[in-house]
Amino acid sequence: HRVSLRDFSDEDEGADLGLQLKEHFEEKFNECSKQLFFVIDEAESGHTDLLYSKLIPILNGENPVRTNEGVSNSAMVILTVNLGAEDLYRHVEKVLSRGSSRTDVKHEDLNQEFKIFIQRHIESKARDSYSLDTLKVLQRIHLLLQRNAIDATVPFLPLEKVHVRQCAIANMRQKGIKVTSQRLDQLLSGVEFFPAQRPLFSASGCKRMDKLVDVHFG
């Protein structure tokens, strides 16, 4: 189940966002008899207070979710954030520049890069880099890591040209369109790659490929 923290409105002066979130969890638990997966997408764009002071007490049992079957905390919560992506991309770029492949990128190295990124930006000397709200999110994530409330971090590596090309081929074949090198080059010319000095990664992944195929060959 996908959850956006932006869906919880504090327009009413007396709104209890924590209660709204808990009631939302209880509703979904009662709808599903199996284990639930909550995906809280782009956590940095929502209410920062919900991320730490309200969500964690629900998950660790301090403020348990009550369902028709009793108390339940049988859920996996996945937080996604875009923060720190540039640092991870730079690390991957360094690995590739040495002639290695993305399979040589080590998970523990990316985790360390992310932790360093968080630590660097919550220090006072780096506070001009982000807005106050974004810094609050970084502080919340830092606290979550300190409390061992995050079981695992999973970095998402950016797609390279070869992967976007594979997406284009699969999409064209699915739609019965003949695949040629010229047509593939035409499609990839409509995809933005970065960094500018060495365009390795797709800025949008494969998200736009379906529409690009329709526009060019539909």
Side-chain angles (χ1 to χ4, degrees):
H1 177 70
R2 182 181 179 276
V3 180
S4 173
L5 297 182
R6 286 173 291 188
D7 294 338
F8 298 91
S9 173
D10 57 357
E11 291 180 356
D12 297 331
E13 188 174 340
D16 187 335
L17 300 181
L19 180 60
Q20 290 180 27
L21 182 64
K22 184 179 178 182
E23 289 176 345
H24 182 78
F25 270 55
E26 290 176 346
E27 177 187 350
K28 296 306 174 183
F29 269 111
N30 285 320
E31 289 178 0
C32 182
S33 59
K34 300 179 180 179
Q35 185 179 38
L36 278 170
F37 289 83
F38 287 95
V39 179
I40 301 181
D41 198 18
E42 297 183 353
E44 72 270 22
S45 60
H47 298 286
T48 57
D49 184 54
L50 285 178
L51 182 61
Y52 182 74
S53 62
K54 303 299 182 182
L55 177 61
I56 296 308
I58 292 174
L59 299 180
N60 65 15
E62 295 172 23
N63 187 17
V65 171
R66 301 191 178 277
T67 69
N68 296 333
E69 304 298 326
V71 176
S72 177
N73 283 306
S74 180
M76 178 178 291
V77 177
I78 301 172
L79 298 173
T80 72
V81 294
N82 295 316
L83 300 172
E86 295 84 357
D87 290 57
L88 299 186
Y89 294 166
R90 280 194 292 269
H91 179 78
V92 175
E93 185 183 2
K94 288 179 182 177
V95 173
L96 297 179
S97 66
R98 296 196 296 262
S100 302
S101 69
R102 65 193 288 121
T103 58
D104 296 311
V105 177
K106 296 181 179 179
H107 180 262
E108 56 267 28
D109 290 342
L110 292 176
N111 279 342
Q112 186 62 24
E113 287 285 344
F114 184 61
K115 290 177 181 178
I116 292 173
F117 160 80
I118 292 175
Q119 187 65 44
R120 186 173 72 247
H121 285 85
I122 62 175
E123 293 175 354
S124 58
K125 62 183 179 182
R127 289 184 180 274
D128 292 337
S129 303
Y130 285 102
S131 67
L132 181 60
D133 286 341
T134 301
L135 285 170
K136 285 181 179 180
V137 173
L138 291 172
Q139 290 166 349
R140 296 291 188 265
I141 294 174
H142 182 62
L143 289 171
L144 292 176
L145 290 169
Q146 285 187 323
R147 288 190 58 176
N148 295 317
I150 296 178
D151 294 320
T153 55
V154 183
F156 287 87
L157 300 184
L159 296 183
E160 300 169 45
K161 278 190 178 182
V162 62
H163 306 116
V164 179
R165 195 177 187 88
Q166 291 170 354
C167 290
I169 292 172
N171 195 286
M172 292 173 71
R173 286 177 175 169
Q174 184 181 25
K175 295 175 179 178
I177 300 171
K178 184 179 179 180
V179 179
T180 66
S181 296
Q182 184 178 2
R183 286 178 171 177
L184 289 173
D185 290 341
Q186 185 178 352
L187 287 172
L188 264 65
S189 67
V191 179
E192 180 185 355
F193 291 91
F194 69 95
Q197 62 274 20
R198 191 171 179 234
L200 293 170
F201 312 123
S202 169
S204 57
C206 287
K207 293 179 181 178
R208 298 180 56 239
M209 190 52 64
D210 187 60
K211 289 185 178 180
L212 282 174
V213 171
D214 289 340
V215 168
H216 286 285
F217 310 117

